[in-house]
Amino acid sequence: MTLSDNTLIDNYPTRSAAPARHIERVDPVVWGRVDTPALATFDHAGHTVLDGLLTPAEMAEFAAETQRLADDPDLWLDERLVVEKSSRRVRSIFEVHKLSSAIAELVRQPRIVDLARQLLGSEVYIHQSRVNYMPGFTGAGFYWHSDFETWHAEDGMPAPRAVSLSIALTDNYTHNGSLMVMPGSHRVFVPCPGETPPDHYRESLREQQIGVPSQADIGTLAQRFGISQFTGPAGSALLFDSNIMHGSSNNITPFPRSNIFLVFNSVENSLTAPYSAAEPRPAHIAARDFTPLR
Ligand code: 6CS
Ligand code: FE
């Protein structure tokens, strides 16, 4: 056996049949040197709110861009577009940093990518990008989960050395399905019960049932860490650790909630074979080109 054999070293085992105990994170949260004031509390809280990340002009540009993508008939025949489970509305479009030159430029802007470089202490690349469209009335939420749990199990991401940036394209209220996080939960890895089914992503991207903690585990975490909700005007953003416990409710209000979601992974944490799935997910969901962003 070699060190790259995932069955030999797995600091974050998950997806077993029997319930398993919580694992205290062995890896750092901040891997580099942070000199942006907004990142000062990231180590402790596992997330930070960035007010006014986009200018009004950029907001208008990205709103038009994401509408253009959702209206593109070719994309409706493309695997990268995911439709809601119980309506014919678009839920997510993946790999938007390749589909849109405006988003390609956005992810390379130093004010954005330097946040990830500082936290991760290395060059970074895009592991996943998507636009989430949560329409009014019928927008379905995302149940409680840690992103890293899925990226480790299904994509072969070795360590939680990745950060996500969710940029609001619409106003986030408490009532339109805005993101809830458990501050501090990024230090605890919660193994999730159940084997990964084949082609699980086809189901999980609409409604995730495997790779989510038990209700008892969510209860324990919520007692320990509490729950805070991200609200703020369009153009603000939430930067969060790959292992923080988070989720969102359905949106039955008339107010849509769409966001651009970018995942930066360290080039020193590039993907191996999945730790708990038979096959890796397709590259439009989990990139296997680890070229650093320039
Ligand atoms: O699959 C992913 O990569 C992301 N999406 C979902 C619904 N769960 C895990 C992770 O956040
Ligand atoms: Fe998530």
Side-chain angles (χ1 to χ4, degrees):
M1 281 207 257
T2 68
L3 282 181
S4 64
D5 186 328
N6 287 342
T7 56
L8 190 64
I9 297 179
D10 184 356
N11 289 324
Y12 303 101
T14 185
R15 313 263 171 127
S16 59
R21 299 168 71 93
H22 297 181
I23 297 168
E24 291 298 320
R25 177 181 184 136
V26 292
D27 289 297
V29 176
V30 175
W31 299 67
R33 221 171 45 91
V34 158
D35 59 25
T36 302
L39 300 183
T41 54
F42 193 93
D43 192 37
H44 177 70
H47 71 289
T48 192
V49 176
L50 305 162
D51 292 319
L53 187 70
L54 297 187
T55 64
E58 287 173 321
M59 264 147 26
E61 179 187 11
F62 290 115
E65 191 69 353
T66 54
Q67 190 62 46
R68 179 185 70 76
L69 293 172
D71 292 341
D72 180 344
D74 289 341
L75 268 180
W76 283 78
L77 307 170
D78 190 306
E79 266 226 307
R80 290 176 286 190
L81 187 147
V82 177
V83 176
E84 289 281 359
K85 192 168 180 159
S86 45
S87 77
R88 292 296 303 161
R89 308 286 296 266
V90 53
R91 177 173 175 83
S92 302
I93 298 177
F94 281 82
E95 224 175 32
V96 287
H97 70 296
K98 294 196 177 164
L99 290 167
S100 157
S101 55
I103 298 177
E105 281 170 30
L106 181 72
V107 302
R108 288 170 175 80
Q109 285 188 22
R111 72 190 162 111
I112 304 241
V113 65
D114 280 350
L115 299 170
R117 289 193 185 115
Q118 284 179 36
L119 290 173
L120 304 179
S122 69
E123 290 298 323
V124 299
Y125 70 96
I126 296 287
H127 168 65
Q128 182 186 94
S129 77
R130 63 207 275 186
V131 173
N132 289 319
Y133 300 80
M134 192 186 263
F137 299 111
T138 58
F142 291 87
Y143 190 67
W144 291 107
H145 65 279
S146 145
D147 295 329
F148 173 67
E149 194 278 341
T150 292
W151 299 339
H152 184 68
E154 301 191 25
D155 301 338
M157 184 182 285
R161 192 174 176 178
V163 289
S164 302
L165 182 65
S166 173
I167 307 174
L169 296 174
T170 52
D171 294 341
N172 284 267
Y173 309 108
T174 52
H175 48 252
N176 66 338
S178 68
L179 207 65
M180 296 178 277
V181 301
M182 297 189 191
S185 62
H186 59 302
R187 294 198 182 277
V188 181
F189 182 80
V190 182
C192 297
E195 222 184 276
T196 311
D199 284 341
H200 178 233
Y201 69 95
R202 294 182 192 278
E203 185 64 25
S204 68
L205 298 178
R206 294 150 159 251
E207 184 182 12
Q208 189 171 3
Q209 284 170 347
I210 302 288
V212 299
S214 69
Q215 291 185 355
D217 284 333
I218 293 168
T220 306
L221 251 63
Q223 287 291 341
R224 180 169 165 195
F225 298 112
I227 296 173
S228 71
Q229 191 163 27
F230 169 52
T231 56
S236 54
L238 185 73
L239 183 67
F240 56 103
D241 181 87
S242 61
N243 189 48
I244 202 165
M245 193 58 68
H246 63 285
S248 58
S249 308
N250 294 345
N251 180 15
I252 60 167
T253 75
F255 309 115
R257 185 184 73 84
S258 62
N259 64 288
I260 299 176
F261 183 76
L262 307 170
V263 183
F264 299 90
N265 189 26
S266 166
V267 295
E268 293 166 20
N269 191 39
S270 57
L271 305 188
T272 65
Y275 287 81
S276 311
E279 298 289 339
R281 299 193 297 176
H284 68 272
I285 299 172
R288 287 193 179 259
D289 175 356
F290 313 125
T291 314
L293 287 175
R294 292 275 178 242

